[in-house]
Amino acid sequence: MEAKSRRQRSKVLPLLPLRGMLVFPYMVVHLDVGREKSIAAVEAALEREDRLVALVAQRDVKLDQPGHDDLYQVGTIAEVKQMLRLPGGTIRVLVEGFRRARLQRFLPGEAYCLAEVAEVPEPGSRGPQVEALMRTAVQLFESYTRLGKRVPAETLMSIVSVEEPGRLADTLAAHLTLKVEDKQAILEATGVGRRLEAVIELLQRELEILELERKISTRVRKQMERTQREYYLREQLKAIHKELGERDDKGDEAQDYRARIAKSGMTPEAQEKALRELERLEKMPPMSAEGVVTRTYLDWLLALPWAAETVDQLDIDKAEGILHEDHYGLDKVKERILEYLAVRRLVERMKGPILCLVGPPGVGKTSLAKSIARSLDRKFVRISLGGVRDEAEIRGHRRTYVGALPGRIIQGMRQASSRNPVFLMDEIDKMSADFRGDPASALLEVLDPEQNSAFSDHYVEAAFDLSKVLFITTANTLYNIPRPLLDRMETIIIPGYTEEEKLEIGRRHILPKLLTEHGLKPSQLRISAGGIRGIIRAYTRESGVRNLERELAAICRKAAVDVVRGKHSQVRVGAHNLVQYLGAPRYRTGEAEDDNEVGVAMGVAVTEAGGEIMPIEAALMNGKGTLMLTGKLGEVMRESAQAGFSYIRSRQAALGIEAGFHERLDIHVHIPEGAIPKDGPSAGITMATAVVSALTKRPVRRDVAMTGEITLRGQVLPIGGMKEKVLAAHRAGIKTVVLPEANRKDLEEIPMNVRRKLEFVMVGHMDDVLRTALVGGLDAVDPALLPLPVEPQQPRLHVN
Ligand code: ADP
């Protein structure tokens, strides 16, 4: 009975697979059919008496010939009402959904496919729960039509009046904008309650989305309205101003800029640029980002000292007085400045010389530049070039960059607010070049008197005249200054100070300055000469006076506390109570008095911080004659070590070194401190001495320091930085200094009081070095083997 009724209800119908849509029962829908097999299926249906066709959706719309598994299992039996042939071979059919049907069997055919489908009975039951679900669904749908999709009133009426719950659910689902899967889920929901619930759920989701959409669009609309309103009001305001015969804000601003540009003394080129930008500004909306950029640019142009200039103080005596007042010693520099002033007085307009002050930190380079400005009565600006590696830092960024600014030169000029300041560029030797361009080449233009009357900054764009600026640069060493820059400058070397000089600088300049800075009266703090000397010896080890100044400042602070507390009305500091103010001494004087050692020789070198003594170590190991060099040595230094080594090999017998040593031993030469890069040829004789000492097992005198370049034949060549080196040796408590004979003339530079305390040995050949430096000299060596010294006359020079 059951089987029979099923068979009754199941039918074999032509199959029309649907893509991207489906048809619910009771719905009347137009379908456009294009696939050949589908057209054939429609035609077959029309030949049937009942004109029925099975409509089943495909899971994948892309498939052209779906099989059983590609179709959903529930579809609709529908009646083909009409068929219309369209141009292009497709047909349009009007179908009316009739019943849900389950796909039982798929029967592929040549012309078209058939489907055995079983009708799904539509339950008619309706309790109060179904009633409630129906009402909810209708209510939600009403909200849905209100918020989103417009549905004609008649359609809404006809939907509301649907009585059967299942049909209601289907009709609602057909009217919603849903994905095929969602619609299919409703088609497959056979229970009426389930179907209604599914529709409600979908309706709610849709409503939520619609609600969100509405919120977003309201917000956007409000925003737009506000902007429009503002624009409208502003326009009105403008109109009102016009009616009243007043100028509006923008006109005011432009007027103001115009007046300032006219007064600024700009070059015609700059003026043209400024006016063009101003015109652009007037056309921009008032608060636009571009307007801000243009205003900043105009402000920059206007802030530059195009014409402003200070009057030079040309009284030489007065200038000399000021220079002496500020600085002790430094006679050469002061002299050079006075010469400049004198020439300046005679020639109205001269090309500014560029001075380069070279010396270790704390010798007063910066303060000297300041003092030059003061003596000339010019403005002073300072920029630091340390670490500058980008050309744009000198020359600025083009305005097209976001946040672009002029380079440091133009910034300095703005700060100076006069076009003839003293312009200090610190640490010119600390610049470096990288992929962003070479700052040195930009500086060349700045410092070249031929070119700098039309310096171009990328930001400013108009040429700026730097020819009246007095440029002063500083550097710690000449080494790293790019050659072309160096050629354009007049270098003035400021070597370090001797102890006496430091004492005088401390007493006469630094201490009085610090007292004023700390609000102390000279009577309230007295530091004796012995005290200052004590600081110099035990608390500092430097070429300049920077640490001396720091230590003196520390004493001033402590004294200030004592005075304020009322502990003392007068603080006296001398050598005896330094510890109380500065703590334990930091340096031992006479470091060089340690034991003599084998394989360690004392060199002296000039570093960025001034002269320094530099022990060089050599050690031997079993090996194959490799010369190992460590301590971050530069190319020149390595080569000079090689030269020394070759010299030793060639003189092996004479020096009393075992034959064939270079085949059995590796030699390691190290120069502490390992992390600091070193270069230059002047450690040649020191390295050779350390190696000879290691090979001959004869210790090197600790109180002897040396410097000199060595050649393959053992000749000693002159070196630079003599004064620095000698002062460093003196500071370190060295007694004897070995120097190249060819440097004899430089001895004059060394202050008498230092000269008196040291023994100088001037040498022409490596053998002389060894004679002095090795304990016991070359005594043990067979004199017949030694060559004649290059300087047969007295090689020793005693200065008394
Ligand atoms: P640098 O620029 O060479 O590193 P600074 O100009 O900063 O050195 O000098 C450090 C301090 O030492 C400053 O307070 C300076 O006034 C002082 N100073 C250096 N040399 C002298 C000198 N010869 N006379 C007076 N003061 C000096």
Side-chain angles (χ1 to χ4, degrees), residues 325-330 334 359-369 424 426 474 476 494 497 501 505-506 508-510 513 544-546 549:
E325 192 179 305
D326 289 351
H327 290 90
Y328 175 85
L330 301 175
K334 291 176 182 167
V363 290
K365 299 182 296 296
T366 312
S367 68
L368 195 59
L424 179 70
D426 249 345
T474 77
N476 288 138
I494 311 183
Y497 297 119
E501 284 170 328
I505 295 171
R508 295 188 202 189
H509 295 277
I510 301 183
K513 188 175 78 183
V545 289
R546 200 168 275 176
E549 180 169 354

Side-chain angles (χ1 to χ4, degrees), residues 121-127 130 164-166 192:
E122 186 75 11
S125 74
R126 54 186 298 176
V130 170
E164 302 93 62
V192 179

Side-chain angles (χ1 to χ4, degrees), residues 474-536:
T474 77
N476 288 138
T477 59
L478 284 175
Y479 258 133
N480 299 327
I481 306 180
R483 189 74 222 184
L485 271 182
L486 195 56
D487 288 344
R488 290 214 168 42
M489 302 186 291
E490 195 176 320
T491 46
I492 298 177
I493 310 255
I494 311 183
Y497 297 119
T498 62
E499 190 180 297
E500 291 310 314
E501 284 170 328
K502 288 184 191 174
L503 175 63
E504 290 308 315
I505 295 171
R507 257 168 25 128
R508 295 188 202 189
H509 295 277
I510 301 183
L511 190 56
K513 188 175 78 183
L514 288 174
L515 287 178
T516 327
E517 277 172 19
H518 288 81
L520 291 165
K521 284 193 212 76
S523 60
Q524 287 173 316
L525 171 64
R526 280 184 201 278
I527 305 180
S528 69
I532 297 180
R533 204 186 287 277
I535 300 174
I536 297 169

Side-chain angles (χ1 to χ4, degrees), residues 10 23 94 117 198 205 213 327 333 349 353 379 398 550 559 579 687 730 779 790 796:
S10 68
V23 176
L94 187 68
V117 290
R205 199 183 68 195
E213 274 177 7
H327 290 90
V333 196
R349 196 190 156 95
K379 297 262 173 81
R398 295 199 183 280
R550 203 168 293 152
V579 178
M687 291 191 280
H730 172 60
D779 288 349
V790 176
R796 281 170 189 245

